[in-house]
């Protein structure tokens, strides 16, 4: 009593991807690498906002990036999988460097304004009507998918909220959601990587 047994998890060999419920004909019926990447990016730089104009499933998914190529790729994935091309919105903002220099940067964002696509993500991946940084998670179907889809999920997350240190051979994944970080750590472990946790406390006086 009181003893703990640690067993290393090994990612299972999966040949059949998880089935998905379609809301409208033509939507993906199985999880694939495109959807894996899209889910990873949403969990990094996406959100779900309430839109009462859409009725019961009044959820609208949005995502953003300071890299135009990344948001363009994401928009193209949505078009490939759902035959819907979101409009890329551009917002200019000022950015102050650590040296005190004021630079102007651009933020690129897309929002999904099709009810049936938003409903697809709600029904298949457990999105809530208030998905935000604090309550993000790794969808269960990612754990039930093949290695290629799991890697695509991680790739999407890294493009949104990760970084790769080539010289140190280290990948950094960050989030304020403990549930998401625990899910990412489990996924990495199952793929044969041993993650290390680092906790950074927020400065309450920081803007």
């Amino acid at each position: 009593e009181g003893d703990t047994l640690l067993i290393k998890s090994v990612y299972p060999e999966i040949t059949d991807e998880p089935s998905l419920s379609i809301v409208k004909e033509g939507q993906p019926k199985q999880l694939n690498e495109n959807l894996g990447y899209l889910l990873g990016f949403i969990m990094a730089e996406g959100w779900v906002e309430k839109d009462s104009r859409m009725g019961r499933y009044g959820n609208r998914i949005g995502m953003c990036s300071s890299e135009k190529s990344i948001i363009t790729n994401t928009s193209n994935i949505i078009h490939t999988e759902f035959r819907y091309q979101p409009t890329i919105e551009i917002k200019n903002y000022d950015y102050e460097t650590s040296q005190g220099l004021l630079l102007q940067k651009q933020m690129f964002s897309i929002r999904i304004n099709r009810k049936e696509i938003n409903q697809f993500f709600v029904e298949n991946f457990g999105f809530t009507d208030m998905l935000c940084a604090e309550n993000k998670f790794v969808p269960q179907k990612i754990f039930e998918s093949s290695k290629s889809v799991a890697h695509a999920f991680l790739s999407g997350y890294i493009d949104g909220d990760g970084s790769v240190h080539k010289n140190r051979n280290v990948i950094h994944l960050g989030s304020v959601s403990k549930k998401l970080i625990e899910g990412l750590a489990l996924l990495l472990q199952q793929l044969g990587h041993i993650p290390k946790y680092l906790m950074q406390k927020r400065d309450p006086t920081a803007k």
Side-chain angles (χ1 to χ4, degrees):
E1 184 177 353
D3 292 338
T4 301
L5 177 64
L6 297 178
I7 302 176
K8 182 180 178 180
S9 298
V10 178
Y11 207 88
E13 292 296 331
I14 296 174
T15 56
D16 294 325
E17 301 294 358
S19 298
L20 302 175
S21 301
I22 62 170
V23 177
K24 184 178 180 181
E25 197 60 39
Q27 292 182 338
K29 295 182 179 181
Q30 284 185 304
L31 192 55
N32 58 39
E33 291 180 25
N34 272 347
L35 290 176
Y37 177 93
L38 186 57
L39 286 167
F41 188 73
I42 290 173
M43 289 303 163
E45 293 292 355
W47 65 89
V48 177
E49 57 191 7
K50 195 72 175 175
D51 190 338
S52 58
R53 295 172 297 177
M54 294 185 181
R56 178 186 173 188
Y57 292 97
N59 306 307
R60 183 167 60 176
I61 299 170
M63 56 208 85
C64 64
S65 175
S66 59
E67 298 290 337
K68 186 178 181 180
S69 60
I70 291 176
I71 211 70
T72 299
N73 178 55
T74 305
S75 178
N76 289 338
I77 287 175
I78 294 171
H79 180 262
T80 298
E81 298 299 330
F82 299 99
R83 298 297 184 265
Y84 165 72
Q85 190 86 54
T87 300
I88 298 178
E89 304 171 21
I90 304 174
K91 181 179 180 181
N92 296 316
Y93 67 98
D94 293 330
Y95 170 75
E96 186 175 352
T97 68
S98 57
Q99 290 77 31
L101 296 176
L102 195 62
L103 304 176
Q104 189 174 76
K105 299 190 71 174
Q106 290 183 317
M107 182 64 69
F108 303 91
S109 63
I110 56 177
R111 289 181 287 182
I112 299 176
N113 294 310
R114 292 286 177 88
K115 176 182 176 181
E116 63 272 13
I117 301 177
N118 291 304
Q119 185 179 345
F120 174 88
F121 281 94
V122 170
E123 293 193 359
N124 285 294
F125 305 113
F127 283 22
T128 67
D129 58 3
M130 288 297 290
L131 183 71
C132 60
E134 287 77 12
N135 62 11
K136 289 180 177 178
F137 58 96
V138 177
Q140 178 60 34
K141 288 188 184 295
I142 293 296
F143 292 108
E144 300 168 2
S145 65
S146 65
K147 287 183 179 180
S148 63
V149 172
H151 279 121
F153 177 86
L154 292 170
S155 178
Y157 194 87
I158 291 170
D159 277 354
D161 208 1
S163 58
V164 179
H165 302 279
K166 294 182 179 180
N167 295 335
R168 297 169 54 196
N169 197 29
V170 171
I171 297 175
H172 173 265
L173 306 174
S175 176
V176 298
S177 168
K178 183 180 179 181
K179 184 175 181 180
L180 176 56
I181 288 296
E182 289 176 344
L184 289 169
L186 177 59
L187 191 62
L188 286 166
Q189 182 179 344
Q190 290 178 336
L191 289 168
H193 309 288
I194 306 301
K196 180 180 180 181
Y197 286 96
L198 296 173
M199 183 178 292
Q200 183 177 359
K201 292 186 177 180
R202 281 181 169 181
D203 183 354
T205 64
K207 295 182 180 180

